Amino acid sequence: MRMLLDQDFVGIWKRKTGETPLGIYRFRGGLPYSEYVQTLFTYLEENYKFKKILEIGFLYGHSATWFLETFPKAHITSFDILKTGCTIDGITYVNYKLVTAKYGDNRFKFHRDSSIEIPKYYEPGVFDVAFVDGDHTCGGVVNDIETCFKLKIPLLIIDNMELPDQQRAVGFYKDNLKLIKSFVYYTINRDGLTHKRFVNLYDVLSYDI
């Protein structure tokens, strides 16, 4: 997996603000382009052949871009979480339009619905993997995990596992989820400090809830 550069991302940050992409990547959400995130996607590329990817939490389209570039034959379906008040407007709206324009409807599909609506669109067994990075409250993560179980998705990638609510939610399913590998990456937040973050890869042992 090659290192993704700023030109690989379709966001409008530089055009809108005049800032460089590195300046913007002071963590407004999403996976930054870094050698740490590259390690995650190199591992995925070497071990899996994803065809159908579910993404819960689009935000600025960073993770969607990583998946689309890493798996050029795959289709990604992205849902934006709305039940906690996140709205699809401004930059989020523009970037989803840009991702669609760059990769086409045959590779990327965006839904504006909450993750709890996903089963209304898709039957169990459609997706190879789910990337869970939506509502970071404990209840929100529980809903997202159980949605994935209902869809019988065999592999989950859960971002921001450094957060207590994320850890608590995953802990409820210790009999369902087996940790395959944990990946670390770093972000520089608006506070100017470097933060250590984790994204975990899980094998789903059971869909029973």
Side-chain angles (χ1 to χ4, degrees):
M1 173 61 200
R2 71 179 180 84
M3 176 72 169
L4 294 190
L5 304 174
D6 60 311
Q7 61 264 30
D8 292 305
F9 292 89
V10 297
I12 61 170
W13 294 116
K14 192 170 184 179
R15 188 171 75 241
K16 280 287 188 182
T17 67
E19 297 184 44
T20 64
L22 285 176
I24 281 299
Y25 274 76
R26 290 185 173 271
F27 199 65
R28 298 179 181 230
L31 293 174
Y33 54 95
S34 72
E35 66 272 21
Y36 298 102
V37 178
Q38 181 187 16
T39 298
L40 161 63
F41 282 91
T42 296
Y43 179 88
L44 295 176
E45 181 182 40
E46 292 176 348
N47 290 276
Y48 302 97
K49 303 296 181 186
F50 299 140
K51 297 297 183 185
K52 297 285 187 178
I53 301 166
L54 172 66
E55 179 184 53
I56 301 176
F58 175 78
L59 196 57
Y60 300 121
H62 300 171
S63 53
T65 302
W66 274 107
F67 278 107
L68 288 162
E69 290 290 332
T70 306
F71 299 97
K73 295 183 179 180
H75 181 280
I76 182 168
T77 301
S78 183
F79 282 78
D80 193 69
I81 306 299
L82 296 183
K83 64 185 178 62
T84 56
C86 296
T87 58
I88 176 173
D89 57 10
I91 296 299
T92 300
Y93 178 82
V94 171
N95 281 347
Y96 116 72
K97 288 287 191 182
L98 288 170
V99 170
T100 304
K102 179 175 181 178
Y103 296 100
D105 290 335
N106 62 323
R107 295 206 56 215
F108 176 76
K109 179 68 176 177
F110 183 89
H111 289 284
R112 186 178 169 169
D113 307 80
S114 167
S115 64
I116 59 175
E117 299 294 312
I118 294 175
K120 293 182 180 179
Y121 290 90
Y122 298 98
E123 297 294 326
V126 170
F127 297 104
D128 306 313
V129 61
F131 182 74
V132 180
D133 187 23
D135 182 347
H136 295 303
T137 66
C138 182
V141 179
V142 165
N143 284 338
D144 291 340
I145 291 174
E146 293 195 355
T147 294
C148 293
F149 288 170
K150 292 173 184 176
L151 290 175
K152 299 189 183 304
I153 302 175
L155 203 68
L156 303 186
I157 304 169
I158 304 180
D159 196 11
N160 296 119
M161 282 302 298
E162 75 283 353
L163 300 177
D165 271 5
Q166 302 277 118
Q167 297 170 9
R168 183 183 172 203
V170 171
F172 293 146
Y173 305 100
K174 60 184 179 180
D175 294 329
N176 300 77
L177 299 174
K178 178 183 178 181
L179 178 65
I180 299 173
K181 196 172 179 65
S182 183
F183 299 86
V184 64
Y185 68 96
Y186 298 87
T187 61
I188 301 175
N189 286 29
R190 295 171 182 169
D191 57 14
L193 301 176
T194 299
H195 293 258
K196 189 176 186 179
R197 303 189 179 278
F198 292 92
V199 53
N200 288 0
L201 175 64
Y202 295 96
D203 187 20
V204 180
L205 304 178
S206 171
Y207 301 114
D208 296 333
I209 54 178

